[in-house]
Amino acid sequence: MSIRTRFAPSPTGMLHIGGARTALFSWLHARHHGGQFLLRIEDTDRERSTEEATRVILDGLQWLGLDWDEDVVFQSRNREAHVAAVEKLLAEGKAYRCWCSKEELDAMRAEQRAAGRKPMYDGRCRHRDAGPLDAPHVIRFRSPDAGQTVVRDMVLGDVVFDNRELDDLILMRSDGSPTYNLAVVVDDAAMGITHVIRGADHLNNTPRQMQLYEALGLPMPSFAHIPLIHGPDGAKMSKRHGAVAVTEYREAGYLPDAMVNYLARLGWSHGDQEVFSRQELIELFDVRDVGKTAARFDQDKLDWLNAHYLRAASPEALADDVRARLAALGVTDTESGPDLVRAIALLQERSRNLAELASGARFFYAAPDEYDDKAVRKHLKASAWPLVEDFAREAAALEDWTAEAIHVLISGLCERHGVKMGRLAQPIRILVSGGPVSPPIDATLALLGREETLRRIRRGIEALKPAV
Ligand code: GLU
């Protein structure tokens, strides 16, 4: 039997990294077994579901490279099947209509609380005479009163639920809309899902869903509940801890391969290996190896992995993204400046993400309009200027404008003046880039070009050298 997993997000907001990780685990499980990974948009809550949220989810999955098989299923279009399942249960006496008013339910719960019991529906409409069909009412599942339901979870192991703790669940609301637990069972069965992999926040729904599978005579899938992601302080990961939407990571310049690698390791491990290609993940992933406890989000590790993937990427593959980021930084023309691919090659090993890379590349295309004050005070003292001026003069006459030739020129000058390389490299760096950080000075100037280098140095001398 072919393995079929699914991701079933509700399109009511962003794609949360927790959701992305659940999707990744489902995807990996399917791909590992040569099965299918399906996508179902659970859009039955018409008030809160939006097309925009659906688009964000699809975009996010595509960006991460989590491709799905078959057409996307929209839950709202399966209404007939949901209604048919409820009618079947009603006809078989496995569900019943309930006319309890809100006031009655509130009073019931208040009594239960007063008696020190857990508030839950007591099934009173099971035994009542039927009310008028056109008066508002819900349809409830007649759940077993005794025994246990055991979830044989592939991650958490056996989780035992006492059936007396599970009250008669609403299957259909008074407006005729199906509830989550009904719809999810009917749809998972219709889609032939063999393995339901989802967040541990759904564990309490699972015994109810298992009872529904049985009542409907549907084949039961296997279940795996993935523990949640916690922030460094041990509380559930939220905005307080940093970015939680996949789009935020994309905007901040994280690479999809790094995100996938990072999310896979968040709760899953294979020995002490940290870096996994997609192919390795597919080969090695087993949902049974997912940890039983919440995983801690670790920003430093994500940054480390991202830097790793950024170094390993081909600069050509990054060019479109970097060009767009430069445009957002006001650099609309990269064609008339230094070769962007070479600039990326210089910067990719010293950047943590694409945003950093783009801001580090900006000066190649835009002369500094101001200089870092602190750096100027530190590196452009009076003694620096003769050295800078010597450099400008000799650079103008340099035969080859290559990194090697520039290196020889700078080291020769520093030797003559009896100073370390940084005494000249830092002033030049500030004059050409505006600040004290750039790739190695020889490669930087080689890429910037002789004319532009000298132009910026002369401008800097005019702007910063104190008149004597
Ligand atoms: N729509 C549910 C959610 O987003 C899906 C739960 C499930 O995977 O069964 O939480």
Side-chain angles (χ1 to χ4, degrees):
M1 188 180 61
S2 167
I3 291 214
R4 285 163 74 85
T5 65
R6 49 61 162 189
F7 179 49
S10 306
T12 53
M14 58 182 171
L15 176 58
H16 192 281
I17 47 162
R21 187 187 56 149
T22 304
L24 171 63
F25 287 175
S26 285
W27 181 83
L28 285 172
H29 191 74
R31 295 289 172 258
H32 176 82
H33 291 282
Q36 285 96 44
F37 169 67
L38 309 187
L39 182 57
R40 179 175 69 239
I41 300 294
E42 303 215 315
D43 58 347
T44 45
D45 184 343
R46 303 311 283 169
E47 305 258 287
R48 293 175 60 226
S49 300
T50 66
E51 274 176 33
E52 167 65 7
T54 300
R55 202 182 50 71
V56 166
I57 291 167
L58 301 193
D59 274 2
L61 294 175
Q62 262 158 353
W63 179 67
L64 289 168
L66 306 184
D67 54 335
W68 56 91
D69 301 297
E70 305 176 10
D71 290 340
V72 178
V73 172
F74 289 88
Q75 186 160 61
S76 59
R77 297 184 195 160
N78 292 346
R79 215 191 129 80
E80 273 177 40
H82 303 148
V83 172
V86 173
E87 278 170 359
K88 180 169 151 45
L89 293 173
L90 272 176
E92 293 173 2
K94 295 173 180 166
Y96 62 94
R97 297 177 194 273
C98 165
W99 278 269
C100 289
S101 64
K102 184 175 178 304
E103 293 68 35
E104 184 171 354
L105 293 174
D106 286 346
M108 177 194 75
R109 288 192 202 103
E111 251 174 62
Q112 291 167 332
R113 266 191 223 102
R117 277 180 289 137
K118 183 174 129 188
M120 57 195 283
Y121 185 65
D122 61 7
R124 57 184 67 184
C125 274
R126 284 184 182 194
H127 315 291
R128 270 190 192 163
D129 291 340
L133 279 186
D134 56 356
H137 63 280
V138 301
I139 298 173
R140 289 186 185 267
F141 180 57
R142 189 187 293 270
S143 56
D145 297 321
Q148 295 177 327
T149 301
V150 183
V151 180
R152 303 209 179 281
D153 194 276
M154 288 192 292
V155 170
L156 304 174
D158 286 359
V159 188
V160 180
F161 291 85
D162 193 335
N163 289 341
R164 271 170 311 192
E165 297 288 312
L166 306 171
D167 60 0
D168 287 353
L169 164 83
I170 297 178
L171 301 174
M172 193 81 95
R173 299 186 189 90
S174 55
D175 64 359
S177 63
T179 55
Y180 158 70
N181 280 301
L182 174 82
V184 80
V185 166
V186 171
D187 292 350
D188 279 339
M191 290 162 75
I193 300 304
T194 59
H195 293 74
V196 170
I197 298 172
R198 61 184 166 204
D201 47 340
H202 282 289
L203 179 64
N204 287 333
N205 288 318
T206 304
R208 299 174 174 286
Q209 292 176 17
M210 289 172 66
Q211 292 176 356
L212 280 172
Y213 275 100
E214 264 170 37
L216 288 163
L218 296 170
M220 185 93 64
S222 302
F223 293 96
H225 290 90
I226 311 296
L228 301 184
I229 302 175
H230 282 177
D233 59 357
K236 188 177 166 206
M237 179 80 182
S238 71
K239 283 195 184 119
R240 212 155 41 81
H241 299 108
V244 284
V246 168
T247 38
E248 290 176 85
Y249 287 95
R250 184 181 187 170
E251 274 154 28
Y254 290 87
L255 297 176
D257 284 343
M259 287 309 286
V260 162
N261 190 151
Y262 179 70
L263 291 174
R265 278 286 292 105
L266 207 47
W268 172 85
S269 59
H270 179 76
D272 51 13
Q273 188 173 341
E274 289 294 353
V275 179
F276 296 86
S277 68
R278 267 169 212 263
Q279 204 43 48
E280 276 179 299
L281 287 175
I282 290 172
E283 273 159 33
L284 297 171
F285 183 79
D286 188 327
V287 75
R288 287 173 194 85
D289 295 334
V290 171
K292 287 185 173 47
T293 53
R296 290 237 171 165
F297 193 85
D298 180 346
Q299 185 67 44
D300 291 340
K301 191 153 140 192
L302 171 59
D303 285 335
W304 175 81
L305 268 173
N306 200 56
H308 167 84
Y309 281 94
L310 199 51
R311 273 197 302 279
S314 96
E316 286 83 3
L318 304 175
D320 285 345
D321 187 296
V322 174
R323 206 175 286 113
R325 287 176 195 275
L326 281 169
L329 294 173
V331 175
T332 45
D333 174 21
T334 50
E335 293 309 305
S336 50
D339 179 23
L340 183 59
V341 168
R342 281 180 62 198
I344 292 171
L346 266 185
L347 284 153
Q348 67 188 130
E349 56 194 81
R350 37 183 61 79
S351 310
R352 279 183 306 176
N353 53 58
L354 287 163
E356 242 178 54
L357 194 158
S359 72
R362 186 176 181 277
F363 79 86
F364 281 112
Y365 306 93
D369 32 33
E370 54 184 9
Y371 303 90
D372 179 316
D373 248 355
K374 201 173 142 216
V376 169
R377 266 183 277 121
K378 180 159 179 213
H379 299 287
L380 281 165
K381 300 200 179 100
S383 59
W385 294 109
L387 204 54
V388 170
E389 281 167 340
D390 275 3
F391 174 79
R393 198 171 39 253
E394 297 191 22
L398 197 65
E399 201 166 317
D400 299 318
W401 192 254
T402 60
E404 296 72 36
I406 295 166
H407 181 86
V408 171
L409 172 59
I410 294 178
S411 60
L413 270 170
C414 290
E415 212 169 295
R416 259 175 18 225
H417 285 254
V419 296
K420 293 209 181 103
M421 290 261 293
R423 293 285 285 278
L424 177 54
Q426 278 312 72
I428 300 175
R429 186 169 271 129
I430 295 163
L431 299 182
V432 299
S433 76
V437 187
S438 83
I441 195 66
D442 46 8
T444 298
L445 301 187
L447 181 58
L448 190 59
R450 179 183 344 232
E451 211 181 304
E452 184 62 15
T453 298
L454 293 177
R455 206 175 63 78
R456 291 189 190 181
I457 290 179
R458 289 194 191 109
R459 244 188 77 213
I461 293 173
E462 261 171 48
L464 295 173
K465 186 181 164 189
V468 274

